[in-house]
Amino acid sequence: MAARIQPNMKHTAVKRQAWKALESHYKKVSTLDLRRLFAEDPTRGDRMAVEAVGLYLDYSKNRVTDDTLKLLLQLAEESGLPARIDAMFRGEKINITEKRAVLHVALRAPKGASIVVDGEDVVPKVHAVLDKMADFSDRVRSGAWKGHTGKRIRNVVNIGIGGSDLGPVMAYEALKAYSERAMTFRFVSNIDGTDFAEAVRDLDPSETLFIVSSKTFTTLETMTNAHTARTWSLARLGGDQESVAKHFVAVSTNAAEVSKFGIDTANMFEFWDWVGGRYSMDSAIGLSTMVAIGPDHFRAMLDGFHQMDEHFRTTPFGRNLPVLMGLLSVWHNDFFGAQTVAVLPYEQYLKRFPAYLQQLTMESNGKHVTLDGTVVTRQTGPIYWGEPGTNGQHSFYQLIHQGTRLIPCDFIAFAKPLHPLGRHHDMLLANVFAQTEALAFGKTPDEVKAEGTPDWLVPHRVFEGNRPSNTILAERLTPETLGKLVALYEHSVFTQGTIWNIDSFDQWGVELGKVLAQRIIPELESKAEPKLDHDSSTNSLIRRYRKMKEHYEDNRL
Ligand code: G6Q
């Protein structure tokens, strides 16, 4: 049996005074009902709301009292959150297991700001890359950049995975209304050949530009897809190697590998090891976003990020949106035992936002040891999931309303629609408000009976209520608002990670599977029967697959 690392209580959050106080406080308030809390304080809905940088957060429908908030804020102080924020913004190497600074905030620092890493101010480098991206985007958008046969580029395909894919896809979908509609944008990430095949099936290679986005430029999926793309492109452009320079550009930190691939490093857009993959959508990894929406909109998005950064850095915690959201998440997760958070955007363009947040939150805070390597004694990162409203209402909301689990929800809505169509928007927003109301206040047996419901049916129609939610309301989904929203969650993740005393910026948990796959690939491909040395299940699966797979010809691209 594997040896279990013993928790070291000395260094864990549990020992903190505020944590202990929250434990006894929880015993007193865990049965409190939102109905009662609202009835006792008619100002609650206004008091427990904060507006900052154009985002309004109503957190009143959470199971908290003023004392809860006081203790949570005390926990943030005792956990050293102020010093951790300073350390991050100063460029200290707070990603201790990878010995790296964590400076996504530098990616949106305005010209003239200064953030020094290893003796060098990184802000001018950030702006030099942004200018290069803007020049490139303008040339592609205007048609000045020509493909190998002299045609303008009409299709852009981003090849990347994880942090080099989810941000670009999410941002493209979120900001489609601002994008150049005469162009087509596609995203290839999966090593499953279907992803590539479907992305290019109707594209003309002479009008197609591939952006190979990979921090390391060694990632199996991305490099496999990039090589397949190069074969596809060359085969249709007469095999002339020179065409690669016109149809492939790279976003990477690894110039050597980029030029080995055949991409001119003049067409490489740089970023740095202090940008984590899942925090990189506003770096050069956002090149496809910039080509889609244009440099001005991209800069507006960066400005939105920066406004939230400044709010997080400078605002007292009691009015600090990311801090409050992070603390509330810890409260539900660690004290009420909630295992998940549902993110429910009532904005169709944000359909990929929950998927994006899954990586941001779960890769960052899905950790089992604290910074000093001892096993945590409390639950860390909850599972984030969600779908746009109102669709979810007709499927999984049932479980949120009447199931046996507590699922805190983040509702996200905008006052002004991007497509004002008749009564659609009022109806959409009515659903947001109705859902938060129903979750919080439910419907009692008496209320159900009063509607004339037969006794036997009453229990089925009762809503317990008391189900927590946040509502985030902004004016309209714009590039600037998107930047604010993403930064809000980034800093909420950071707040939670600080409370749990974990490294929110590494991701060792994705390594093992990658290494094992490298070992299995030759066992699947070898002509001769391989000698298998796995467990009996894995051995059998490999043997069965080898038998099942037909000896098909290589894919004709
Ligand atoms: C994110 C992770 C991970 C990474 C991908 C792609 O924080 O590090 O999702 O973004 O593995 O890596 P490359 O950009 O190096 O190809």
Side-chain angles (χ1 to χ4, degrees):
M1 209 176 87
R4 192 146 163 77
I5 317 166
Q6 289 307 308
N8 177 351
M9 300 296 283
K10 213 167 75 212
H11 299 282
T12 57
V14 186
K15 272 285 171 191
R16 295 196 182 105
Q17 285 310 310
W19 194 284
K20 283 188 185 163
L22 277 162
E23 278 173 337
S24 24
H25 172 74
Y26 170 75
K27 287 185 193 132
K28 279 188 261 154
V29 301
S30 61
T31 52
L32 276 188
D33 196 273
L34 284 168
R35 277 180 177 251
R36 209 178 103 196
L37 290 172
F38 273 86
E40 283 172 5
D41 175 8
T43 65
R44 182 179 169 99
D46 293 318
R47 277 196 318 109
M48 291 191 177
V50 188
E51 186 165 18
V53 300
L55 298 189
Y56 179 79
L57 167 69
D58 175 350
Y59 60 93
S60 63
K61 294 191 183 96
N62 286 292
R63 285 158 74 170
V64 290
T65 63
D66 289 334
D67 285 343
T68 321
L69 288 166
K70 215 161 78 196
L71 289 172
L72 285 170
L73 293 170
Q74 198 180 315
L75 179 64
E77 296 289 340
E78 276 180 30
S79 306
L81 184 59
R84 296 283 294 169
I85 295 174
D86 273 3
M88 175 168 75
F89 278 83
R90 262 205 318 272
E92 273 178 34
K93 299 194 172 161
I94 60 169
N95 176 358
I96 59 157
T97 69
E98 296 181 312
K99 300 191 173 61
R100 285 178 183 164
V102 174
L103 269 182
H104 39 282
V105 293
L107 298 169
R108 48 263 192 159
K111 263 187 185 146
S114 162
I115 299 175
V116 176
V117 180
D118 292 331
E120 193 187 4
D121 185 358
V122 297
V123 179
K125 298 205 302 190
V126 165
H127 283 276
V129 173
L130 278 173
D131 291 344
K132 183 172 165 182
M133 288 165 66
D135 174 60
F136 173 77
S137 301
D138 283 338
R139 280 188 291 152
V140 173
R141 288 163 62 86
S142 68
W145 177 288
K146 299 274 188 277
H148 187 58
T149 63
K151 287 192 184 168
R152 66 182 294 166
I153 297 299
R154 295 192 187 280
N155 317 308
V156 173
V157 181
N158 184 75
I159 300 179
I161 196 163
S164 301
D165 167 69
L166 286 160
V169 184
M170 182 278 287
Y172 171 67
E173 291 294 340
L175 301 176
K176 210 181 235 173
Y178 302 86
S179 72
E180 175 52 67
R181 297 300 189 128
M183 294 179 73
T184 298
F185 292 84
R186 301 265 165 86
F187 299 84
V188 176
S189 54
N190 199 330
I191 201 157
D192 182 341
T194 298
D195 206 12
F196 180 82
E198 281 294 332
V200 300
R201 62 177 286 280
D202 55 349
L203 301 187
D204 175 349
S206 64
E207 298 180 340
T208 302
L209 175 83
F210 291 94
I211 302 178
V212 185
S213 297
S214 175
K215 184 170 165 180
T216 53
F217 230 71
T218 55
T219 304
L220 177 74
E221 291 89 341
T222 301
M223 295 327 294
T224 306
N225 279 321
H227 280 103
T228 298
R230 192 173 60 180
T231 308
W232 178 86
S233 179
L234 276 171
R236 288 156 180 80
L237 293 173
D240 186 348
Q241 295 290 337
E242 284 188 10
S243 67
V244 173
K246 298 283 175 48
H247 293 274
F248 285 81
V249 298
V251 178
S252 188
T253 57
N254 190 343
E257 286 297 325
V258 167
S259 76
K260 230 197 262 170
F261 181 86
I263 295 177
D264 185 348
T265 47
N267 297 328
M268 168 178 145
F269 299 84
E270 200 193 351
F271 64 120
W272 307 273
D273 73 358
W274 42 261
V275 184
R278 54 192 175 277
Y279 296 87
S280 68
M281 60 168 278
D282 46 346
S283 71
I285 289 291
L287 185 61
S288 59
T289 316
M290 195 193 269
V291 176
I293 64 174
D296 289 346
H297 283 316
F298 194 85
R299 287 184 198 279
M301 181 180 81
L302 294 182
D303 181 51
F305 271 102
H306 180 65
Q307 289 178 51
M308 184 56 76
D309 293 343
E310 285 304 285
H311 167 74
F312 179 55
R313 192 176 67 81
T314 61
T315 309
F317 289 169
R319 286 184 284 118
N320 193 312
L321 300 182
V323 172
L324 286 168
M325 279 184 65
L327 290 173
L328 289 165
S329 179
V330 169
W331 176 237
H332 296 128
N333 185 69
D334 287 313
F335 294 89
F336 286 87
Q339 295 183 341
T340 79
V341 176
V343 180
L344 309 165
Y346 279 66
E347 167 54 72
Q348 188 61 23
Y349 284 121
L350 287 182
K351 67 179 178 199
R352 296 287 293 175
F353 193 59
Y356 171 80
L357 283 188
Q358 285 189 323
Q359 186 192 23
L360 179 66
T361 58
M362 289 158 73
E363 203 167 45
S364 296
N365 284 342
K367 305 292 159 67
H368 71 134
V369 293
T370 59
L371 289 171
D372 66 4
T374 54
V375 173
V376 296
T377 52
R378 297 304 301 242
Q379 296 290 344
T380 57
I383 299 155
Y384 276 74
W385 59 287
E387 281 288 325
T390 57
N391 300 24
Q393 291 173 208
H394 295 263
S395 67
F396 55 80
Y397 277 39
Q398 165 65 36
L399 187 148
I400 306 181
H401 282 288
Q402 285 190 315
T404 52
R405 296 175 191 282
L406 188 75
I407 304 188
C409 301
D410 289 350
F411 288 85
I412 302 173
F414 300 88
K416 295 183 185 161
L418 283 159
H419 298 284
L421 288 177
R423 299 169 60 212
H424 282 245
H425 203 64
D426 285 341
M427 290 181 180
L428 178 71
L429 271 281
N431 274 282
V432 178
F433 305 143
Q435 288 298 322
T436 69
E437 197 175 22
L439 287 168
F441 306 111
K443 203 168 181 187
T444 64
D446 287 345
E447 287 168 337
V448 177
K449 268 184 219 154
E451 287 171 348
T453 310
D455 283 354
W456 67 270
L457 191 55
V458 170
H460 298 275
R461 300 194 56 175
V462 164
F463 288 66
E464 284 174 344
N466 216 16
R467 313 216 164 192
S469 68
N470 289 315
T471 304
I472 299 166
L473 197 56
E475 189 177 273
R476 190 200 290 266
L477 178 60
T478 61
E480 187 185 326
T481 316
L482 182 69
K484 292 172 188 174
L485 266 180
V486 174
L488 170 65
Y489 278 94
E490 285 177 347
H491 298 319
S492 162
V493 163
F494 180 74
T495 300
Q496 294 169 58
T498 299
I499 304 291
W500 294 318
N501 197 28
I502 56 179
D503 189 334
S504 300
F505 302 104
D506 61 12
Q507 56 283 315
W508 299 104
V510 300
E511 293 300 319
L512 181 58
K514 282 198 221 169
V515 173
L516 295 183
Q518 287 295 356
R519 184 175 152 207
I520 294 175
I521 291 169
E523 295 172 344
L524 302 186
E525 288 181 336
S526 87
K527 293 267 180 285
E529 196 62 31
K531 187 178 156 328
L532 298 178
D533 197 16
H534 305 273
D535 59 277
S536 57
S537 158
T538 312
N539 284 346
S540 291
L541 289 167
I542 292 173
R543 285 197 196 103
R544 185 162 282 262
Y545 170 73
R546 286 181 57 91
K547 268 207 207 105
M548 287 166 83
K549 95 175 174 171
E550 285 169 316
H551 291 285
Y552 48 78
E553 292 172 7
D554 276 350
N555 267 342
R556 271 157 293 138
L557 290 169

